[in-house]
Amino acid sequence: MRVREAGAALLGLVLAGCGAERLEEVSGAVEQQRLAVAALEARLQALESVPELSFILSEYHVQLEEQMFQPLLKSSARLQATGDSVPHTFYVDMLLQVEVPSEGFVAVNRQVFPVFEGKSRVELTQVLPIHGLGKEDIKVTLRPMNWYGSQRIPEARVTYQE
C-alpha cells in the first residue's frame, strides 16, 4: 500500500509540475491581453477626446431683397474656429433666427456647413412675411449651435467681429 501511496504522490507531483507550467503560460497570455486592452483603451480615449473650440463670426452681412411675390432676407458671415487642436474638416450646425416684432413673426432656419482648415463661409436665407421691411424692423440672430457630432457650442464660445 505504501508503494501505491508513493506512486500516487509521485503522480500528484508530476501533475502539479505540469499544471504549474500551464499556469505560467496562461498567466503570460492574460498579461499580454491586459496590455493589449490597455493600449486599445488609450487609443480610444485619444480618439474620443473632444477639443474645446471657440468660434468667431466676422464679415457679417444682412441683405433684404424685394422679390416679386416674396421678400427675402439673406444673411452671410465668415466663420472661423479656434482652439488647441482644430480638426482639419468638420461640420457646424448654424442657426438663423429672424424676428419681425411688429408682425408677430418668428422664423428659425438651421443648416449644416462644412468647415475646412477652421474656416467656412455661411449663407442662410429666410422668407419675410411682408414687403417694405427695413433692417431696423427685423431682429436677426446668426450663430453656430453644434459642431461635429452634436458638440453643443455655448454662447460664451461665440465671438462677433465687424
Side-chain angles (χ1 to χ4, degrees), residues 53-59 77-82 118-120 144 157-162:
L53 298 182
S54 294
F55 294 86
I56 300 169
L57 279 170
S58 60
E59 301 173 22
R78 181 176 173 256
L79 178 74
Q80 182 177 354
T82 61
K119 298 174 187 167
S120 182
R157 293 210 165 264
V158 179
T159 305
Y160 296 90
Q161 292 180 347
E162 293 294 320

Side-chain angles (χ1 to χ4, degrees), residues 9 20 79 82 97-98 102 115-116 123 127 133 135 145 158 161:
L79 178 74
T82 61
Q97 182 173 326
V98 178
S102 63
V115 178
F116 302 106
E123 296 179 359
V127 173
L133 293 171
K135 289 183 182 178
M145 298 300 289
V158 179
Q161 292 180 347

Side-chain angles (χ1 to χ4, degrees), residues 112-131:
V112 176
F113 291 91
V115 178
F116 302 106
E117 296 178 355
K119 298 174 187 167
S120 182
R121 186 83 188 152
V122 295
E123 296 179 359
L124 289 123
T125 60
Q126 177 59 51
V127 173
L128 296 172
I130 59 171
H131 288 278

Side-chain angles (χ1 to χ4, degrees), residues 7-114:
L10 182 62
L11 182 61
L13 286 173
V14 168
L15 288 176
C18 288
E21 287 176 13
R22 181 71 180 138
L23 183 61
E24 285 180 25
E25 283 179 34
V26 170
S27 295
V30 167
E31 181 62 18
Q32 285 178 346
Q33 287 183 350
R34 187 190 67 75
L35 292 173
V37 167
L40 286 172
E41 284 177 345
R43 184 171 181 214
L44 181 62
Q45 195 172 38
L47 290 172
E48 288 182 340
S49 69
V50 179
E52 290 287 325
L53 298 182
S54 294
F55 294 86
I56 300 169
L57 279 170
S58 60
E59 301 173 22
Y60 181 63
H61 299 285
V62 173
Q63 180 181 351
L64 300 173
E65 288 187 7
E66 292 288 340
Q67 297 181 354
M68 185 181 286
F69 294 106
Q70 195 75 57
L72 188 67
L73 179 135
K74 290 185 177 182
S75 178
S76 66
R78 181 176 173 256
L79 178 74
Q80 182 177 354
T82 61
D84 292 338
S85 57
V86 177
H88 182 271
T89 303
F90 62 97
Y91 295 89
V92 172
D93 171 22
M94 293 293 297
L95 165 96
L96 172 65
Q97 182 173 326
V98 178
E99 297 178 53
V100 182
S102 63
E103 296 295 314
F105 176 82
V106 177
V108 175
N109 185 359
R110 290 178 81 154
Q111 188 173 337
V112 176
F113 291 91

